[in-house]
Amino acid sequence: MNRRVRQKVAKKSKEKVGLPGNPEIGDAGLCPDSNEYVDWTSLPDDTVIQLFSCLNYRDRASLSSTCKTWRVLGLSSCLWISLDLRAHKCDPGMAVSLASRCVNLQKIRFRGAESADAIIHLQARNLREISGDYCRKITDATLSMIVARHEALETLQLGPDFCEKVSSDAIKAIAFCCPKLKKLRLSGLRDVSADVINALAKHCPNLIDIGFLDCLKVDEVALGNVVSVHFLSVAGTSNMKWGVVSHLWHKLPKLIGLDVSRTDIDPSAVSRLLSLSPSLKVLCAMNCPVLEEDNTFSVNQYKGKLLLALFNDIFKGLASLFADTTKTGKNVLLDWRNLKTKDKNVDEIMNWLEWILSHTLLRTAESNPQGLDAFWLKLGAPILLSLMQSSQEEVQERAATGLATFVVIDDENASIDCGRAEEVMRDGGIRLLLNLAKSWREGLQSEAAKAIANLSVNANVAKAVAEEGGIEILAGLARSMNRLVAEEAAGGLWNLSVGEEHKGAIAEAGGVKALVDLIFKWSSGSDGVLERAAGALANLAADDKCSMEVALAGGVHALVMLARNCKFEGVQEQAARALANLAAHGDSNSNNAAVGQEAGALEALVQLTRSLHEGVRQEAAGALWNLSFDDRNREAIAAAGGVEALVALAQSCANASPGLQERAAGALWGLSVSEANSIAIGQEGGVAPLIALARSEAEDVHETAAGALWNLAFNPGNALRIVEEGGVPALVDLCSSSVSKMARFMAALALAYMFDGRYLHNFHFGMDEFALIGTSTESTSKSVNLDGARRMALKHIEAFVLTFTDPQAFATAAASSAPAALAQVTERARIQEAGHLRCSGAEIGRFVAMLRNPSSILKACAAFALLQFTIPGGRHALHHASLMQSAGAARVLRAAAAAATAPLEAKIFARIVLRNLEYHHIESSI
């Protein structure tokens, strides 16, 4: 990520001297005029150090490398008081390289077992605070080694992930090695035994804050022996004996705050603790079902004690801790932070409560229990927003994560609760999150970006994010060198790019290039980044202008690289979807051809159609469908094994989603435009699965299956295969009952091809017995009643054409040659989507020839088809008119229009086609 320091400039004689300002994120320039020079190296040392303190470690190291003076300043011990390694892969080698800077290191945050193993190599003997997450794989040996090397440790926090491999032995080592320990918070321990707790009580006399959260078993009796404890949390811990707790813990002489949230504590235990403990000020019992189900429980009887639960006003309760109780609204935490006169005891309680509330609300949001909608809207969301303004960075992060989590209903399908999302927006949450995203602290950037991303699934929130400048902020974060930050920023751009109104703004903010660069920067081992970046590019590529931006930024190469090399299915799916969208603008830009020409692109997409993941197969087939509109791509796909792969896909997707069925049939439709491919599809066994797909209940599948069968039916061998495989009844059903006009139209055309007499004329249709038919490449034959099939087909072709006619309009058109009369017939007959179909010269010639067919039904069908292909305004109408002129169709059309024996429909449609040809001739000559 690029950071720029905005400088205020003061004149001193003729020189310009830079004064320190605030760090900002993005590509903002410097305030001085472009003609004025600022000598950065002349800044005072303390100013440079202050500047360094506002940068992350990577940016600090980059600046330190610019000159010798700054290199020395970059090693200043005051810059290395704390270290956040969560975004970095910290192995022993990296830790050794940092060791010389860490002599005075006091606080470290890390992520994962590998970083934990490396901590001892920092040689930070004065370390006071260690905080780690993703600790599932941390072992007793690692934890024991860490505490043995850091006897000055005062705070140790591991969680909120479960420490599954940490046993009582390691906790006992903490007690023996860290006599100065003040705060111990551990999550997900299997067993915290009496020996361990007694060792802590004996060897850690300053231990005032204990948290055994989400543990399976904690010895309640032993905890009653830790007389030094002020704050105790057993939130989420199971198997607690609350009778024992209520009889022992009230005797703890210094206990001020107790957290039993997310447990099965009962009302009697709560009452006993509140009434008998003289020192207890706050008891937090959030999301405790047994307590909440007791409607008789009253919190008002315990004067001077605060109970925080889902059924009472938490803000009002927090206000009761202060001498001034007039402020009881949602700003109570903010009011406390702004107090001019501080009370140390109250501050201690409030800091603990912030931590406890942020942890409990996040855990509650993750489990998403039923029946809490009212709580989240009235209290949960406002509390999280207030916690985001905490002075504790960890609380801020967890509150942002809580906002990102509590709005999600279905993570798999990206579904969120719109009411919750808009409540966050109404309470000013978008501005707060964007301010956090602009922080120089990368942990805050990451969690804020995650929350913005999830909330932006809601269109109203997405609009607010854009209006508040969120697109520019996310585009800036997407350039971050911190993978976690870049990943969440890409996720935000992904969700925002769903809205058509935001695509252009993302491109203008440099988002397209940032996303493409992410793919190259994190090309391996970063599946989350790659999936989000590819998903955002897929959305952007659906826009014509943005698709050009993607291509210019190197997006085609980047996405093909993912399709070829990445093994993660989510990345493969989004990369294929992006390539499909890039290839969808064949009429307006050259991206379709560019994708096909990219080395390995078509082979990779063909291979992805064999994926075990349905979403990958669907998007790969969709990409091949779009790419097949280009003549060179069409043949190259076939050469890459596309026919075999797509036939196999069609054969396997009988029970698949309509989306996959549509794209499988669509890709075969696209390939079958080529006669060679059409023949290959038939020989490969593609007819039967297409007929099966034609029987689908989905309208979109009807269209693509009918389109593919229409193309295949042009070939005699395929026409026979369609009849053999029972395709006539399937096409008849489409022709007569599909909701899609296009499906009905193409089904009628396929039937017309099959029975226009050009290929089945050798068979006598008048006989009643069955005829044996088969193709030259097949060794078996099937018995089919050709006469019955033909009569069925013609009957439904006729019925289809008649649905687009109006007897009164036809009578008027027959009696008059006025353009208005023909226009009325055209309007009734028009199938809007048919204007997108592009026919070859051979296909146009086939319909022209059909105008001479003895069958009046086929004549009418041919004239109806030619009308659709030449209606002014159709995408390919001029192309079709040119083909018809070359084929001498005008003479045939005039004959059909004048034929005494021709049906009225054929005559009127032929006249309209002639008028269309005249229109296109005049248009082309202008």
Side-chain angles (χ1 to χ4, degrees), residues 5-12 15-23 30-32 38-40 42-44 46-48 50-51:
V5 178
R6 180 166 297 177
Q7 294 290 315
K8 295 180 181 178
V9 177
K11 283 190 175 182
K12 187 175 182 180
E15 297 179 355
K16 297 294 177 182
V17 180
L19 300 179
N22 296 320
L30 302 177
C31 280
V38 176
D39 184 3
W40 289 86
S42 68
L43 291 174
D46 59 346
T47 301
V48 175
Q50 181 64 30
L51 170 63

PDB file of all heavy atoms in Angstrom, residues 5-12 15-23 30-32 38-40 42-44 46-48 50-51:
ATOM      1  N   VAL A   5       2.637  11.374   3.149  1.00  0.00           N
ATOM      2  CA  VAL A   5       2.489  12.254   4.297  1.00  0.00           C
ATOM      3  C   VAL A   5       2.145  13.641   3.798  1.00  0.00           C
ATOM      4  O   VAL A   5       2.894  14.224   3.021  1.00  0.00           O
ATOM      5  CB  VAL A   5       3.790  12.298   5.123  1.00  0.00           C
ATOM      6  CG1 VAL A   5       3.629  13.252   6.283  1.00  0.00           C
ATOM      7  CG2 VAL A   5       4.138  10.908   5.598  1.00  0.00           C
ATOM      8  N   ARG A   6       1.033  14.136   4.198  1.00  0.00           N
ATOM      9  CA  ARG A   6       0.610  15.470   3.793  1.00  0.00           C
ATOM     10  C   ARG A   6       1.292  16.480   4.702  1.00  0.00           C
ATOM     11  O   ARG A   6       1.217  16.380   5.922  1.00  0.00           O
ATOM     12  CB  ARG A   6      -0.904  15.601   3.908  1.00  0.00           C
ATOM     13  CG  ARG A   6      -1.417  16.963   3.492  1.00  0.00           C
ATOM     14  CD  ARG A   6      -2.900  16.918   3.298  1.00  0.00           C
ATOM     15  NE  ARG A   6      -3.244  16.010   2.221  1.00  0.00           N
ATOM     16  CZ  ARG A   6      -4.484  15.727   1.874  1.00  0.00           C
ATOM     17  NH1 ARG A   6      -5.478  16.270   2.504  1.00  0.00           N
ATOM     18  NH2 ARG A   6      -4.730  14.893   0.899  1.00  0.00           N
ATOM     19  N   GLN A   7       1.973  17.430   4.117  1.00  0.00           N
ATOM     20  CA  GLN A   7       2.777  18.379   4.875  1.00  0.00           C
ATOM     21  C   GLN A   7       2.177  19.781   4.840  1.00  0.00           C
ATOM     22  O   GLN A   7       1.741  20.243   3.796  1.00  0.00           O
ATOM     23  CB  GLN A   7       4.201  18.454   4.297  1.00  0.00           C
ATOM     24  CG  GLN A   7       4.982  17.165   4.463  1.00  0.00           C
ATOM     25  CD  GLN A   7       5.337  16.926   5.906  1.00  0.00           C
ATOM     26  OE1 GLN A   7       5.768  17.830   6.584  1.00  0.00           O
ATOM     27  NE2 GLN A   7       5.127  15.724   6.370  1.00  0.00           N
ATOM     28  N   LYS A   8       2.178  20.430   5.984  1.00  0.00           N
ATOM     29  CA  LYS A   8       1.928  21.868   6.021  1.00  0.00           C
ATOM     30  C   LYS A   8       3.273  22.559   5.818  1.00  0.00           C
ATOM     31  O   LYS A   8       4.275  22.136   6.360  1.00  0.00           O
ATOM     32  CB  LYS A   8       1.347  22.278   7.372  1.00  0.00           C
ATOM     33  CG  LYS A   8      -0.027  21.672   7.635  1.00  0.00           C
ATOM     34  CD  LYS A   8      -0.541  22.107   8.969  1.00  0.00           C
ATOM     35  CE  LYS A   8      -1.901  21.470   9.241  1.00  0.00           C
ATOM     36  NZ  LYS A   8      -2.418  21.847  10.581  1.00  0.00           N
ATOM     37  N   VAL A   9       3.309  23.617   5.060  1.00  0.00           N
ATOM     38  CA  VAL A   9       4.571  24.261   4.718  1.00  0.00           C
ATOM     39  C   VAL A   9       4.582  25.680   5.271  1.00  0.00           C
ATOM     40  O   VAL A   9       3.654  26.454   5.055  1.00  0.00           O
ATOM     41  CB  VAL A   9       4.775  24.275   3.190  1.00  0.00           C
ATOM     42  CG1 VAL A   9       6.045  25.012   2.841  1.00  0.00           C
ATOM     43  CG2 VAL A   9       4.816  22.852   2.676  1.00  0.00           C
ATOM     44  N   ALA A  10       5.631  25.980   6.008  1.00  0.00           N
ATOM     45  CA  ALA A  10       5.788  27.329   6.547  1.00  0.00           C
ATOM     46  C   ALA A  10       7.025  27.968   5.941  1.00  0.00           C
ATOM     47  O   ALA A  10       8.036  27.314   5.759  1.00  0.00           O
ATOM     48  CB  ALA A  10       5.924  27.273   8.067  1.00  0.00           C
ATOM     49  N   LYS A  11       6.925  29.242   5.630  1.00  0.00           N
ATOM     50  CA  LYS A  11       8.060  29.931   5.029  1.00  0.00           C
ATOM     51  C   LYS A  11       9.050  30.366   6.099  1.00  0.00           C
ATOM     52  O   LYS A  11       8.691  30.857   7.146  1.00  0.00           O
ATOM     53  CB  LYS A  11       7.599  31.166   4.255  1.00  0.00           C
ATOM     54  CG  LYS A  11       6.977  30.838   2.918  1.00  0.00           C
ATOM     55  CD  LYS A  11       6.779  32.093   2.111  1.00  0.00           C
ATOM     56  CE  LYS A  11       6.268  31.750   0.722  1.00  0.00           C
ATOM     57  NZ  LYS A  11       6.101  32.949  -0.096  1.00  0.00           N
ATOM     58  N   LYS A  12      10.286  30.160   5.783  1.00  0.00           N
ATOM     59  CA  LYS A  12      11.358  30.670   6.626  1.00  0.00           C
ATOM     60  C   LYS A  12      12.454  31.132   5.696  1.00  0.00           C
ATOM     61  O   LYS A  12      13.143  30.321   5.093  1.00  0.00           O
ATOM     62  CB  LYS A  12      11.869  29.592   7.574  1.00  0.00           C
ATOM     63  CG  LYS A  12      12.879  30.134   8.583  1.00  0.00           C
ATOM     64  CD  LYS A  12      13.257  29.059   9.571  1.00  0.00           C
ATOM     65  CE  LYS A  12      14.232  29.598  10.604  1.00  0.00           C
ATOM     66  NZ  LYS A  12      14.625  28.571  11.575  1.00  0.00           N
ATOM     67  N   GLU A  15      13.531  29.296   2.180  1.00  0.00           N
ATOM     68  CA  GLU A  15      13.510  27.835   2.212  1.00  0.00           C
ATOM     69  C   GLU A  15      12.127  27.357   2.621  1.00  0.00           C
ATOM     70  O   GLU A  15      11.353  28.054   3.251  1.00  0.00           O
ATOM     71  CB  GLU A  15      14.560  27.311   3.201  1.00  0.00           C
ATOM     72  CG  GLU A  15      15.981  27.683   2.806  1.00  0.00           C
ATOM     73  CD  GLU A  15      16.972  27.160   3.836  1.00  0.00           C
ATOM     74  OE1 GLU A  15      16.516  26.627   4.859  1.00  0.00           O
ATOM     75  OE2 GLU A  15      18.170  27.296   3.601  1.00  0.00           O
ATOM     76  N   LYS A  16      11.889  26.111   2.262  1.00  0.00           N
ATOM     77  CA  LYS A  16      10.643  25.470   2.669  1.00  0.00           C
ATOM     78  C   LYS A  16      10.974  24.399   3.683  1.00  0.00           C
ATOM     79  O   LYS A  16      11.810  23.538   3.433  1.00  0.00           O
ATOM     80  CB  LYS A  16       9.946  24.825   1.463  1.00  0.00           C
ATOM     81  CG  LYS A  16       9.529  25.843   0.407  1.00  0.00           C
ATOM     82  CD  LYS A  16       8.473  26.774   0.923  1.00  0.00           C
ATOM     83  CE  LYS A  16       8.115  27.820  -0.114  1.00  0.00           C
ATOM     84  NZ  LYS A  16       7.121  28.757   0.371  1.00  0.00           N
ATOM     85  N   VAL A  17      10.291  24.439   4.824  1.00  0.00           N
ATOM     86  CA  VAL A  17      10.579  23.467   5.879  1.00  0.00           C
ATOM     87  C   VAL A  17       9.325  22.649   6.118  1.00  0.00           C
ATOM     88  O   VAL A  17       8.248  23.195   6.350  1.00  0.00           O
ATOM     89  CB  VAL A  17      11.003  24.172   7.184  1.00  0.00           C
ATOM     90  CG1 VAL A  17      11.297  23.145   8.242  1.00  0.00           C
ATOM     91  CG2 VAL A  17      12.222  25.047   6.917  1.00  0.00           C
ATOM     92  N   GLY A  18       9.462  21.340   6.050  1.00  0.00           N
ATOM     93  CA  GLY A  18       8.307  20.471   6.254  1.00  0.00           C
ATOM     94  C   GLY A  18       7.977  20.325   7.726  1.00  0.00           C
ATOM     95  O   GLY A  18       8.848  20.110   8.556  1.00  0.00           O
ATOM     96  N   LEU A  19       6.685  20.463   8.038  1.00  0.00           N
ATOM     97  CA  LEU A  19       6.228  20.231   9.395  1.00  0.00           C
ATOM     98  C   LEU A  19       5.444  18.944   9.427  1.00  0.00           C
ATOM     99  O   LEU A  19       4.737  18.612   8.482  1.00  0.00           O
ATOM    100  CB  LEU A  19       5.327  21.394   9.856  1.00  0.00           C
ATOM    101  CG  LEU A  19       6.002  22.775   9.846  1.00  0.00           C
ATOM    102  CD1 LEU A  19       5.004  23.829  10.293  1.00  0.00           C
ATOM    103  CD2 LEU A  19       7.234  22.780  10.737  1.00  0.00           C
ATOM    104  N   PRO A  20       5.549  18.158  10.507  1.00  0.00           N
ATOM    105  CA  PRO A  20       4.910  16.838  10.537  1.00  0.00           C
ATOM    106  C   PRO A  20       3.398  16.945  10.465  1.00  0.00           C
ATOM    107  O   PRO A  20       2.807  17.853  11.037  1.00  0.00           O
ATOM    108  CB  PRO A  20       5.365  16.241  11.876  1.00  0.00           C
ATOM    109  CG  PRO A  20       5.720  17.432  12.721  1.00  0.00           C
ATOM    110  CD  PRO A  20       6.257  18.452  11.766  1.00  0.00           C
ATOM    111  N   GLY A  21       2.812  16.028   9.743  1.00  0.00           N
ATOM    112  CA  GLY A  21       1.360  15.979   9.636  1.00  0.00           C
ATOM    113  C   GLY A  21       0.851  14.603   9.981  1.00  0.00           C
ATOM    114  O   GLY A  21       1.519  13.830  10.639  1.00  0.00           O
ATOM    115  N   ASN A  22      -0.347  14.278   9.524  1.00  0.00           N
ATOM    116  CA  ASN A  22      -0.965  12.996   9.819  1.00  0.00           C
ATOM    117  C   ASN A  22      -0.816  12.046   8.665  1.00  0.00           C
ATOM    118  O   ASN A  22      -0.919  12.445   7.516  1.00  0.00           O
ATOM    119  CB  ASN A  22      -2.460  13.188  10.117  1.00  0.00           C
ATOM    120  CG  ASN A  22      -2.671  14.019  11.357  1.00  0.00           C
ATOM    121  OD1 ASN A  22      -1.945  13.854  12.333  1.00  0.00           O
ATOM    122  ND2 ASN A  22      -3.642  14.922  11.311  1.00  0.00           N
ATOM    123  N   PRO A  23      -0.611  10.766   8.933  1.00  0.00           N
ATOM    124  CA  PRO A  23      -0.495   9.804   7.849  1.00  0.00           C
ATOM    125  C   PRO A  23      -1.840   9.587   7.191  1.00  0.00           C
ATOM    126  O   PRO A  23      -2.853   9.557   7.856  1.00  0.00           O
ATOM    127  CB  PRO A  23      -0.035   8.529   8.559  1.00  0.00           C
ATOM    128  CG  PRO A  23      -0.547   8.671   9.944  1.00  0.00           C
ATOM    129  CD  PRO A  23      -0.506  10.133  10.258  1.00  0.00           C
ATOM    130  N   LEU A  30       1.549  15.515  -2.039  1.00  0.00           N
ATOM    131  CA  LEU A  30       1.989  16.385  -0.973  1.00  0.00           C
ATOM    132  C   LEU A  30       1.386  17.763  -1.160  1.00  0.00           C
ATOM    133  O   LEU A  30       1.167  18.237  -2.258  1.00  0.00           O
ATOM    134  CB  LEU A  30       3.519  16.454  -0.972  1.00  0.00           C
ATOM    135  CG  LEU A  30       4.201  15.087  -0.820  1.00  0.00           C
ATOM    136  CD1 LEU A  30       5.706  15.273  -0.918  1.00  0.00           C
ATOM    137  CD2 LEU A  30       3.828  14.439   0.484  1.00  0.00           C
ATOM    138  N   CYS A  31       1.177  18.434  -0.040  1.00  0.00           N
ATOM    139  CA  CYS A  31       0.556  19.745  -0.094  1.00  0.00           C
ATOM    140  C   CYS A  31       1.395  20.807  -0.786  1.00  0.00           C
ATOM    141  O   CYS A  31       0.852  21.691  -1.405  1.00  0.00           O
ATOM    142  CB  CYS A  31       0.186  20.210   1.313  1.00  0.00           C
ATOM    143  SG  CYS A  31      -1.343  19.472   1.894  1.00  0.00           S
ATOM    144  N   PRO A  32       2.736  20.791  -0.646  1.00  0.00           N
ATOM    145  CA  PRO A  32       3.489  21.862  -1.295  1.00  0.00           C
ATOM    146  C   PRO A  32       3.232  21.907  -2.786  1.00  0.00           C
ATOM    147  O   PRO A  32       2.937  20.906  -3.413  1.00  0.00           O
ATOM    148  CB  PRO A  32       4.948  21.474  -1.005  1.00  0.00           C
ATOM    149  CG  PRO A  32       4.885  20.637   0.219  1.00  0.00           C
ATOM    150  CD  PRO A  32       3.599  19.889   0.114  1.00  0.00           C
ATOM    151  N   VAL A  38      10.915  20.177  -1.092  1.00  0.00           N
ATOM    152  CA  VAL A  38      10.992  19.852   0.334  1.00  0.00           C
ATOM    153  C   VAL A  38      12.154  18.899   0.544  1.00  0.00           C
ATOM    154  O   VAL A  38      12.199  17.817  -0.043  1.00  0.00           O
ATOM    155  CB  VAL A  38       9.680  19.198   0.832  1.00  0.00           C
ATOM    156  CG1 VAL A  38       9.823  18.786   2.277  1.00  0.00           C
ATOM    157  CG2 VAL A  38       8.525  20.170   0.664  1.00  0.00           C
ATOM    158  N   ASP A  39      13.096  19.291   1.380  1.00  0.00           N
ATOM    159  CA  ASP A  39      14.242  18.437   1.693  1.00  0.00           C
ATOM    160  C   ASP A  39      13.882  17.574   2.895  1.00  0.00           C
ATOM    161  O   ASP A  39      14.011  17.985   4.048  1.00  0.00           O
ATOM    162  CB  ASP A  39      15.466  19.307   1.996  1.00  0.00           C
ATOM    163  CG  ASP A  39      16.707  18.450   2.242  1.00  0.00           C
ATOM    164  OD1 ASP A  39      16.595  17.208   2.111  1.00  0.00           O
ATOM    165  OD2 ASP A  39      17.758  19.020   2.566  1.00  0.00           O
ATOM    166  N   TRP A  40      13.416  16.375   2.614  1.00  0.00           N
ATOM    167  CA  TRP A  40      12.971  15.475   3.683  1.00  0.00           C
ATOM    168  C   TRP A  40      14.117  15.102   4.621  1.00  0.00           C
ATOM    169  O   TRP A  40      13.917  14.895   5.815  1.00  0.00           O
ATOM    170  CB  TRP A  40      12.360  14.214   3.069  1.00  0.00           C
ATOM    171  CG  TRP A  40      11.053  14.446   2.414  1.00  0.00           C
ATOM    172  CD1 TRP A  40      10.837  14.856   1.135  1.00  0.00           C
ATOM    173  CD2 TRP A  40       9.765  14.312   3.001  1.00  0.00           C
ATOM    174  NE1 TRP A  40       9.498  14.979   0.882  1.00  0.00           N
ATOM    175  CE2 TRP A  40       8.800  14.642   2.025  1.00  0.00           C
ATOM    176  CE3 TRP A  40       9.314  13.945   4.266  1.00  0.00           C
ATOM    177  CZ2 TRP A  40       7.452  14.616   2.245  1.00  0.00           C
ATOM    178  CZ3 TRP A  40       7.944  13.915   4.505  1.00  0.00           C
ATOM    179  CH2 TRP A  40       7.032  14.255   3.505  1.00  0.00           C
ATOM    180  N   SER A  42      16.337  16.828   5.795  1.00  0.00           N
ATOM    181  CA  SER A  42      16.686  17.883   6.752  1.00  0.00           C
ATOM    182  C   SER A  42      15.729  17.933   7.939  1.00  0.00           C
ATOM    183  O   SER A  42      15.883  18.770   8.824  1.00  0.00           O
ATOM    184  CB  SER A  42      16.694  19.240   6.046  1.00  0.00           C
ATOM    185  OG  SER A  42      15.380  19.604   5.650  1.00  0.00           O
ATOM    186  N   LEU A  43      14.756  17.045   7.951  1.00  0.00           N
ATOM    187  CA  LEU A  43      13.816  17.026   9.074  1.00  0.00           C
ATOM    188  C   LEU A  43      14.543  16.681  10.367  1.00  0.00           C
ATOM    189  O   LEU A  43      15.464  15.856  10.373  1.00  0.00           O
ATOM    190  CB  LEU A  43      12.707  15.997   8.828  1.00  0.00           C
ATOM    191  CG  LEU A  43      11.702  16.311   7.723  1.00  0.00           C
ATOM    192  CD1 LEU A  43      10.779  15.113   7.517  1.00  0.00           C
ATOM    193  CD2 LEU A  43      10.876  17.537   8.058  1.00  0.00           C
ATOM    194  N   PRO A  44      14.119  17.259  11.495  1.00  0.00           N
ATOM    195  CA  PRO A  44      14.717  16.897  12.791  1.00  0.00           C
ATOM    196  C   PRO A  44      14.530  15.407  13.081  1.00  0.00           C
ATOM    197  O   PRO A  44      13.545  14.792  12.644  1.00  0.00           O
ATOM    198  CB  PRO A  44      13.936  17.761  13.788  1.00  0.00           C
ATOM    199  CG  PRO A  44      13.366  18.871  12.982  1.00  0.00           C
ATOM    200  CD  PRO A  44      13.102  18.309  11.620  1.00  0.00           C
ATOM    201  N   ASP A  46      13.646  13.827  15.769  1.00  0.00           N
ATOM    202  CA  ASP A  46      12.431  13.442  16.489  1.00  0.00           C
ATOM    203  C   ASP A  46      11.210  13.468  15.583  1.00  0.00           C
ATOM    204  O   ASP A  46      10.264  12.692  15.745  1.00  0.00           O
ATOM    205  CB  ASP A  46      12.218  14.335  17.707  1.00  0.00           C
ATOM    206  CG  ASP A  46      12.109  15.814  17.338  1.00  0.00           C
ATOM    207  OD1 ASP A  46      12.455  16.159  16.196  1.00  0.00           O
ATOM    208  OD2 ASP A  46      11.673  16.600  18.203  1.00  0.00           O
ATOM    209  N   THR A  47      11.235  14.355  14.574  1.00  0.00           N
ATOM    210  CA  THR A  47      10.131  14.392  13.610  1.00  0.00           C
ATOM    211  C   THR A  47      10.129  13.132  12.748  1.00  0.00           C
ATOM    212  O   THR A  47       9.075  12.538  12.485  1.00  0.00           O
ATOM    213  CB  THR A  47      10.248  15.628  12.709  1.00  0.00           C
ATOM    214  OG1 THR A  47      10.226  16.800  13.506  1.00  0.00           O
ATOM    215  CG2 THR A  47       9.105  15.681  11.705  1.00  0.00           C
ATOM    216  N   VAL A  48      11.309  12.710  12.321  1.00  0.00           N
ATOM    217  CA  VAL A  48      11.402  11.494  11.519  1.00  0.00           C
ATOM    218  C   VAL A  48      10.949  10.284  12.323  1.00  0.00           C
ATOM    219  O   VAL A  48      10.225   9.414  11.834  1.00  0.00           O
ATOM    220  CB  VAL A  48      12.838  11.303  11.003  1.00  0.00           C
ATOM    221  CG1 VAL A  48      12.968   9.975  10.258  1.00  0.00           C
ATOM    222  CG2 VAL A  48      13.239  12.454  10.095  1.00  0.00           C
ATOM    223  N   GLN A  50       8.880  10.286  14.813  1.00  0.00           N
ATOM    224  CA  GLN A  50       7.421  10.369  14.941  1.00  0.00           C
ATOM    225  C   GLN A  50       6.743   9.886  13.662  1.00  0.00           C
ATOM    226  O   GLN A  50       5.724   9.188  13.695  1.00  0.00           O
ATOM    227  CB  GLN A  50       7.002  11.808  15.248  1.00  0.00           C
ATOM    228  CG  GLN A  50       5.506  12.022  15.418  1.00  0.00           C
ATOM    229  CD  GLN A  50       4.957  11.280  16.616  1.00  0.00           C
ATOM    230  OE1 GLN A  50       5.657  11.074  17.590  1.00  0.00           O
ATOM    231  NE2 GLN A  50       3.708  10.860  16.529  1.00  0.00           N
ATOM    232  N   LEU A  51       7.323  10.260  12.534  1.00  0.00           N
ATOM    233  CA  LEU A  51       6.807   9.806  11.249  1.00  0.00           C
ATOM    234  C   LEU A  51       6.901   8.286  11.140  1.00  0.00           C
ATOM    235  O   LEU A  51       5.937   7.613  10.752  1.00  0.00           O
ATOM    236  CB  LEU A  51       7.600  10.458  10.121  1.00  0.00           C
ATOM    237  CG  LEU A  51       7.387   9.939   8.696  1.00  0.00           C
ATOM    238  CD1 LEU A  51       5.945  10.171   8.265  1.00  0.00           C
ATOM    239  CD2 LEU A  51       8.338  10.626   7.728  1.00  0.00           C
TER     240      LEU A  51
END
